[in-house]
Amino acid sequence: MEHLLQMIDQYGYIALYGLLALGIVGIPVPDEILMTTVGSLTVGQNPLLDYGTSLAVCFSGSMTGMLISYFLGRTVGKPFLYKYGKWVKLTPERLGVAEGWFHKYGMWAVTFGYYVPGVRHFTCYLAGVSNVGFWRYLLYAGTGGLVWCLSFLTLGHVIGINAPHIIAVAHRYMGITIAILVALVVIIGYFYWRHRKRAITRT
């Protein structure tokens, strides 16, 4: 992160754009930690970066990476990825996991795959391999990318300088974090269902 921040300090938004694009393609860049750190740099009386500009640059960079991956998948195909993907951390094991997600959830895997490290780098390739229509892909990928960038930049902006450390801890305990979030959603859904059921019974 120290080297990445030095690049941003030296080259500004161009470095931020390039890092996000490379991170989506598969180059090992800590995307979420980078964006929360950038978000924390938009706080203060004389912030180093502008929040609105940072959001636009992060979104543009992530979409550039997603489009490169999509067209690579469409042109070179899956055998090429399995053979040479290891050079950019696209190992057969990770490709297998992402392929399982893609077959199970379809294009929603592209939208929500941003939040799952090791999956977001592959779903875009698989969308290209599967010859998903360009505009359909752009809709799902663009929606997910915008929400993803907005989430982590805003988190960094709100929490401030401690945001990168919080995200690093969350990554370390990703399984527990996801399990807690899923449990909360299930509990809230259950109580909402009971409330709706009682309301219908009374009427």
Side-chain angles (χ1 to χ4, degrees):
M1 276 305 303
E2 185 178 347
H3 294 299
L4 298 182
L5 289 175
Q6 287 177 355
M7 290 179 63
I8 293 173
D9 183 51
Q10 185 172 358
Y11 300 106
Y13 295 111
I14 296 175
L16 179 59
Y17 170 84
L19 289 170
L20 262 296
L22 291 173
I24 293 295
V25 170
I27 303 300
V29 175
D31 303 306
E32 289 92 348
I33 298 175
L34 175 62
M35 285 194 292
T36 50
T37 303
V38 168
S40 69
L41 297 177
T42 63
V43 183
Q45 292 183 341
N46 296 302
L48 182 64
L49 300 171
D50 176 71
Y51 176 84
T53 306
S54 297
L55 176 60
V57 171
C58 286
F59 177 66
S60 300
S62 64
M63 283 309 301
T64 299
M66 292 293 277
L67 290 174
I68 291 172
S69 300
Y70 170 79
F71 284 114
L72 277 176
R74 195 156 186 167
T75 54
V76 303
K78 191 161 59 175
F80 180 88
L81 294 177
Y82 273 93
K83 187 174 182 179
Y84 298 105
K86 60 185 179 181
W87 299 108
V88 287
K89 304 297 183 181
L90 304 182
T91 62
E93 293 78 14
R94 289 184 172 182
L95 278 166
V97 172
E99 194 167 6
W101 270 63
F102 192 76
H103 288 313
K104 186 174 182 179
Y105 301 109
M107 288 302 295
W108 290 111
V110 175
T111 303
F112 295 106
Y114 282 96
Y115 291 92
V116 185
V119 170
R120 65 169 167 266
H121 305 100
F122 310 108
T123 51
C124 42
Y125 286 105
L126 295 172
V129 169
S130 303
N131 287 319
V132 172
F134 174 73
W135 294 110
R136 183 166 177 254
Y137 171 79
L138 197 63
L139 174 64
Y140 281 88
T143 301
L146 180 60
V147 175
W148 181 62
C149 294
L150 187 63
S151 300
F152 286 99
L153 271 176
T154 303
L155 181 65
H157 183 82
V158 172
I159 299 177
I161 196 168
N162 294 316
H165 305 292
I166 294 172
I167 295 300
V169 172
H171 264 282
R172 187 175 302 171
Y173 302 101
M174 180 63 71
I176 297 174
T177 304
I178 292 175
I180 292 172
L181 290 174
V182 169
L184 286 173
V185 170
V186 170
I187 291 170
I188 293 171
Y190 172 73
F191 281 108
Y192 176 76
W193 173 78
R194 283 190 61 182
H195 173 73
R196 291 285 300 170
K197 187 177 180 180
R198 287 177 180 174
I200 292 172
T201 304
R202 288 172 185 170
T203 55

